[in-house]
Amino acid sequence: MFPRLWLLGLLACSFVNAEYYNTKTADKDFLLKQKKVYNLLYHVSQPAEINYTWYEEGQKWDIEANINLYSNPAAVKEFLYMYKNSMLPRGEVFSLYYPYLLKEMVALFRLFYYANDFETFYKTALWARNNINEGEYIIAFYNAVIRRQDTKFIQLPPPYEVCPYLFFNSEVLQKSHHASLSDLRETSGEYKTYIFRANYSGWYMNREYYLENKLNYFMEDIGLNAYYFFFRQSFPFWMSSSEFGFQDYRGAEYLYGHQQIMNRYYLERLTNELPNLEDFDWEKPFYAGYYPTMTYQNGLPFPQRPEWSNFPSYKYKYITDIKDKESRIMSAIDTGYVFGNGTTKYYIYNEDGLNILGNIIEGNEDSFNQRFYGSIDALGRKILGYNLEPSSKYKILPSALEIFSTSLRDPAFYRLYKRIVDLYYRYKMHQTPYNKDELIYPNLKIESFSIDKLITYFEQFDTTISNGLFMDAQKDDKLPLIKIRQPRLNHKPFNFHITINSDKAMKAAIRIFLGPKYSSHHKLYELPENLKYFYEIDNWILDLNAGLNKITRNSQECFFTINDQEPSEVFYSKLEASLYSDKTFNYYERIFGFPERLLLPKGKKEGMPFQLFLYVSPVSTEYQFTSRIWGDYKFDNRPFGFPLDKPLDNFNYDGPNMLFKDILIYHKEEFDINITY
């Protein structure tokens, strides 16, 4: 009797498979382009010393004589005018937040972008690799590869291999420069390999004195910082939608993307017993100090900021400016209207309102009024970096906040973006809240929701940095590999197990959020107070059958996540093996993503309580999200963060299609990240 009932129950259930990102097999044309792109980012600082053949080929290219090979002659002439009248010299520091340097980089990017075909682009890039400042070249080149049609889904080396000085502290890089004197040698296939152990900033400081250092393993994670670098290349603030055809959510993605980073950071603060971020006043001392032990490629040190320090007098003019801009944006949120460049006013409590608001806060090229609203993003970075004013247009010393690859390392980043995300919340609270009928779907019922045991740990990871170091040319062209070994947060793979009862066959969207259960003072959070701290770890569409549907979703399938990229030497070897043999070479139709290993906060040895929120809703309209960086993905046509983006009072989120789940996250201490070497 019992076996029969069990079998009948099993037959009534449908097992629903998860959706994966597609892979493609590269053809020879793709392989040749891929190889050339990697070559163009190989030892950018030493084009003549490392491969003289490429250097000669680049020097032979005459841009002006081949102007007919570019689809936008005006862009070519603009670049040539700048180049002939001096540009940022090679070896100098570059940052996007200095208008003159930004203008030069944009001119170079447009030169790359408007090359008629890949061969013209390649020759132009070879020439620029020899003659243009390395920082300008790298940013322009990355963006050109991301956006040109003939380089679609061509993979780019991780930025921490190309510019290691933006990801690692100077003491370990100093050792790396003298690798030939080291005994730390290993054999890695055909390469001579040197491995240097590294820790995070502040490991030699009194950590009881400065608690922010407890988060260095997270803020300085190279995968997280590489993610933020690519996040800011998704819709660069210096590009306009009219020229490059951006989708109409760039401003909304800017705000929601930063809110997600902030919420993930907040969970890491909780796991380290740190309180909520404090507010700050532009007129009073700033709490969070920052002591980077980093240097730029030319030896200049990154600026420091002492704790509880007053803002320098040379920042006063920017403080006056940002206070005005913040006041204008808050007025726009409260009145519901944004001023355009003329007398036009734009209402922002409509479908496009959040996008408009995000654009004016970032101050990007789609802002309706850059002169009036400026960029509180850029101004905040300029003030909080505490760096000195440039002595000339080419003698700059950017702070960590003014370089995307280093922004997340500075505790001030999170204070600034708390301020910006608070504007996002202010806007959301002014919107008409959802009513219960918009959230509850009686025809969908979550019967069960469970998750495997969640365990985090630190693992040692080797990063190849030789490409970003000055190297002596080798007779056999086999440069040694220099690697940095560093402990990083990871978690054991886990599965979500979900059972949903649907009264009919339908498409449904499933969202999973992770958030806090208790505050840093061990006080139980109450709804809706804690909902703004939840971050979205998965969101996908699937076909439900009538009746019970059993769903298993693996952590590695979570949307927009990615595993660590292969080291360039491994990737390049596979590329060549496929190019010169019958071996296949597969690639994903995306370039980067959020590090999958950082889905979970560290947790505690005894287990730390958090909450998952599961929400299921019917899909009436599918929206095709398209990105060269993150890949293509289908969503239902709901706002970012739905249904938690506009929390309801007097509602416990207890409908049949939604469920809170208490969980514990355990940390297995295999390594001590504060060990000194």
Side-chain angles (χ1 to χ4, degrees):
M1 180 67 178
F2 287 106
R4 185 181 177 190
L5 285 175
W6 177 83
L7 180 60
L8 288 172
L10 181 62
L11 291 173
C13 295
S14 299
F15 292 86
V16 182
N17 292 324
E19 180 179 326
Y20 290 83
Y21 285 101
N22 293 327
T23 60
K24 280 195 171 182
T25 300
D27 57 21
K28 189 169 184 179
D29 180 62
F30 185 95
L31 292 170
L32 288 170
K33 289 178 180 178
Q34 181 66 79
K35 182 177 180 180
K36 287 182 176 181
V37 164
Y38 259 61
N39 289 346
L40 286 164
L41 288 168
Y42 187 64
H43 287 281
V44 173
S45 296
Q46 295 177 278
E49 293 83 353
I50 299 302
N51 192 310
Y52 194 74
T53 302
W54 298 344
Y55 176 80
E56 277 191 315
E57 187 179 354
Q59 290 302 90
K60 290 176 182 177
W61 182 246
D62 189 331
I63 295 171
E64 193 166 15
N66 291 284
I67 195 170
N68 61 310
L69 296 179
Y70 301 85
S71 61
N72 188 338
V76 179
K77 291 176 182 177
E78 181 184 14
F79 170 79
L80 290 173
Y81 176 81
M82 287 186 177
Y83 180 70
K84 291 175 181 178
N85 287 276
S86 87
M87 292 178 68
L88 180 66
R90 288 179 61 81
E92 297 293 339
V93 179
F94 169 75
S95 168
L96 291 167
Y97 285 100
Y98 294 79
Y100 200 89
L101 305 187
L102 173 62
K103 190 176 180 181
E104 292 182 356
M105 189 283 298
V106 172
L108 178 62
F109 162 77
R110 287 163 61 83
L111 180 72
F112 289 160
Y113 182 76
Y114 288 113
N116 280 347
D117 50 52
F118 182 81
E119 194 59 26
T120 303
F121 166 57
Y122 173 68
K123 290 178 179 177
T124 307
L126 267 182
W127 175 89
R129 181 173 174 266
N130 297 344
N131 296 284
I132 301 299
N133 174 270
E134 300 92 322
E136 290 185 349
Y137 169 78
I138 289 168
I139 297 297
F141 184 78
Y142 265 75
N143 276 282
V145 171
I146 289 168
R147 285 173 173 80
R148 287 182 58 87
Q149 283 303 309
D150 53 15
T151 55
K152 191 172 184 179
F153 302 125
I154 292 289
Q155 302 299 296
L156 289 159
Y160 46 78
E161 289 190 357
V162 179
C163 305
Y165 50 87
L166 298 179
F167 292 87
F168 296 101
N169 292 332
S170 54
E171 68 265 21
V172 71
L173 293 180
Q174 182 68 17
K175 294 177 184 177
S176 303
H177 280 296
H178 302 288
S180 60
L181 303 177
S182 172
D183 294 328
L184 298 171
R185 182 187 300 180
E186 294 186 8
T187 302
S188 178
E190 55 188 315
Y191 295 97
K192 183 190 298 181
T193 304
Y194 299 89
I195 298 178
F196 297 89
R197 294 183 179 273
N199 216 310
Y200 296 98
S201 297
W203 58 267
Y204 49 85
M205 296 172 64
N206 183 351
R207 282 169 292 280
E208 294 180 2
Y209 173 70
Y210 188 57
L211 298 179
E212 296 295 321
N213 280 340
K214 295 172 74 174
L215 293 169
N216 282 347
Y217 69 89
F218 178 77
M219 297 191 301
E220 298 182 9
D221 185 277
I222 61 171
L224 183 65
N225 281 277
Y227 163 77
Y228 188 69
F229 168 81
F230 278 109
F231 174 65
R232 296 308 297 265
Q233 310 312 315
S234 184
F235 296 111
F237 67 85
W238 44 271
M239 286 188 189
S240 67
S241 293
S242 59
E243 184 173 7
F244 297 102
F246 290 156
Q247 291 170 300
D248 58 1
Y249 50 73
R250 72 178 297 180
E253 184 178 286
Y254 166 81
L255 289 174
Y256 187 65
H258 281 99
Q259 187 232 20
Q260 292 295 284
I261 291 171
M262 290 299 299
N263 286 359
R264 178 62 187 85
Y265 166 79
Y266 177 70
L267 296 184
E268 211 62 45
R269 287 185 70 86
L270 273 183
T271 202
N272 285 282
E273 303 283 347
L274 294 179
N276 289 357
L277 284 175
E278 73 287 346
D279 292 317
F280 69 91
D281 189 322
W282 293 115
E283 300 291 341
K284 295 182 179 178
F286 187 73
Y287 156 67
Y290 181 50
Y291 307 94
T293 53
M294 299 175 71
T295 54
Y296 286 104
Q297 77 277 15
N298 63 356
L300 287 175
F302 276 69
Q304 296 186 350
R305 181 183 58 253
E307 294 173 72
W308 289 115
S309 55
N310 292 308
F311 290 104
S313 58
Y314 51 85
K315 300 292 185 184
Y316 288 173
K317 59 183 177 182
Y318 304 122
I319 290 175
T320 301
D321 201 9
I322 199 170
K323 287 167 66 178
D324 288 343
K325 301 298 190 292
E326 285 180 327
S327 176
R328 292 168 187 174
I329 289 172
M330 284 189 281
S331 294
I333 293 171
D334 293 341
T335 63
Y337 287 94
V338 165
F339 289 103
N341 285 319
T343 58
T344 309
K345 291 196 298 184
Y346 298 90
Y347 187 62
I348 60 173
Y349 288 102
N350 53 26
E351 189 174 335
D352 195 39
L354 187 61
N355 188 54
I356 294 171
L357 179 64
N359 288 339
I360 66 172
I361 290 174
E362 185 184 20
N364 60 46
E365 286 297 307
D366 289 344
S367 171
F368 280 160
N369 197 331
Q370 283 186 329
R371 185 176 63 179
F372 188 68
Y373 294 108
S375 170
I376 62 174
D377 180 307
L379 279 170
R381 291 169 185 267
K382 186 177 288 291
I383 297 166
L384 293 171
Y386 277 53
N387 51 320
L388 295 170
E389 293 292 283
S391 60
S392 70
K393 65 181 181 181
Y394 292 146
K395 299 298 180 184
I396 66 169
L397 186 59
S399 71
L401 293 172
E402 293 178 307
I403 307 290
F404 290 141
S405 298
T406 57
S407 293
L408 300 188
R409 300 172 70 99
D410 187 343
F413 172 90
Y414 305 95
R415 274 79 181 169
L416 172 63
Y417 276 94
K418 177 183 184 297
R419 207 172 178 95
I420 289 174
V421 169
D422 281 347
L423 295 173
Y424 168 75
Y425 292 141
R426 188 184 187 113
Y427 173 82
K428 283 291 181 179
M429 291 302 101
H430 280 53
Q431 287 185 308
T432 304
Y434 299 118
N435 61 59
K436 294 180 182 179
D437 291 338
E438 291 179 281
L439 302 182
I440 296 176
Y441 293 95
N443 56 339
L444 288 169
K445 184 180 180 183
I446 300 171
E447 298 288 353
S448 65
F449 178 36
S450 63
I451 188 171
D452 299 342
K453 188 173 183 179
L454 303 175
I455 298 174
T456 69
Y457 58 94
F458 283 98
E459 65 172 359
Q460 297 290 347
F461 181 79
D462 292 349
T463 304
T464 304
I465 64 165
S466 353
N467 188 23
L469 301 178
F470 284 93
M471 307 287 283
D472 293 328
Q474 305 291 306
K475 292 181 180 179
D476 58 0
D477 290 331
K478 292 293 183 184
L479 296 175
L481 293 180
I482 313 296
K483 296 191 176 189
I484 290 180
R485 180 169 292 168
Q486 192 173 40
R488 302 184 315 165
L489 185 64
N490 202 343
H491 62 80
K492 291 188 176 180
F494 59 88
N495 291 305
F496 298 107
H497 305 280
I498 305 167
T499 303
I500 299 171
N501 198 338
S502 175
D503 68 354
K504 61 181 179 180
M506 68 171 76
K507 280 189 180 294
I510 299 180
R511 292 171 168 84
I512 301 176
F513 297 80
L514 175 64
K517 185 173 178 65
Y518 298 97
S519 72
S520 59
H521 300 293
H522 308 287
K523 175 187 173 184
L524 180 67
Y525 270 121
E526 296 181 358
L527 294 174
E529 177 189 6
N530 65 330
L531 295 184
K532 70 178 183 179
Y533 297 121
F534 275 67
Y535 95 99
E536 196 170 1
I537 61 175
D538 207 359
N539 181 335
W540 78 101
I541 291 176
L542 76 171
D543 293 309
L544 294 179
N545 299 307
L548 289 179
N549 296 263
K550 288 187 177 293
I551 302 159
T552 298
R553 179 82 164 177
N554 188 266
S555 55
Q556 294 193 344
E557 297 167 3
C558 289
F559 76 145
F560 298 141
T561 58
I562 194 171
N563 293 323
D564 291 310
Q565 284 183 271
E566 288 181 310
S568 288
E569 70 274 10
V570 175
F571 181 88
Y572 199 82
S573 294
K574 290 182 178 179
L575 181 65
E576 288 202 308
S578 181
L579 195 55
Y580 303 116
S581 72
D582 57 356
K583 291 184 178 180
T584 58
F585 183 89
N586 296 321
Y587 63 94
Y588 283 106
E589 292 184 307
R590 55 177 172 158
I591 294 174
F592 211 75
F594 185 81
E596 188 273 336
R597 58 186 175 77
L598 293 180
L599 274 177
L600 302 178
K602 186 179 68 172
K604 294 183 178 178
K605 185 177 182 180
E606 67 275 16
M608 183 170 180
F610 290 92
Q611 283 187 315
L612 288 171
F613 177 68
L614 173 65
Y615 183 81
V616 186
S617 58
V619 175
S620 57
T621 306
E622 290 187 15
Y623 183 85
Q624 181 65 52
F625 176 90
T626 301
S627 170
R628 292 277 288 272
I629 296 176
W630 318 121
D632 295 346
Y633 206 85
K634 286 184 179 179
F635 294 100
D636 61 345
N637 200 16
R638 304 279 195 169
F640 287 113
F642 175 83
L644 304 184
D645 58 320
K646 295 187 290 185
L648 276 72
D649 291 324
N650 304 315
F651 181 52
N652 291 325
Y653 290 84
D654 52 1
N657 58 309
M658 58 194 83
L659 182 69
F660 281 98
K661 175 75 175 177
D662 290 344
I663 60 169
L664 293 172
I665 298 179
Y666 297 87
H667 180 67
K668 186 176 181 181
E669 296 184 9
E670 292 186 346
F671 302 100
D672 180 5
I673 65 167
N674 294 317
I675 192 170
T676 59
Y677 298 108

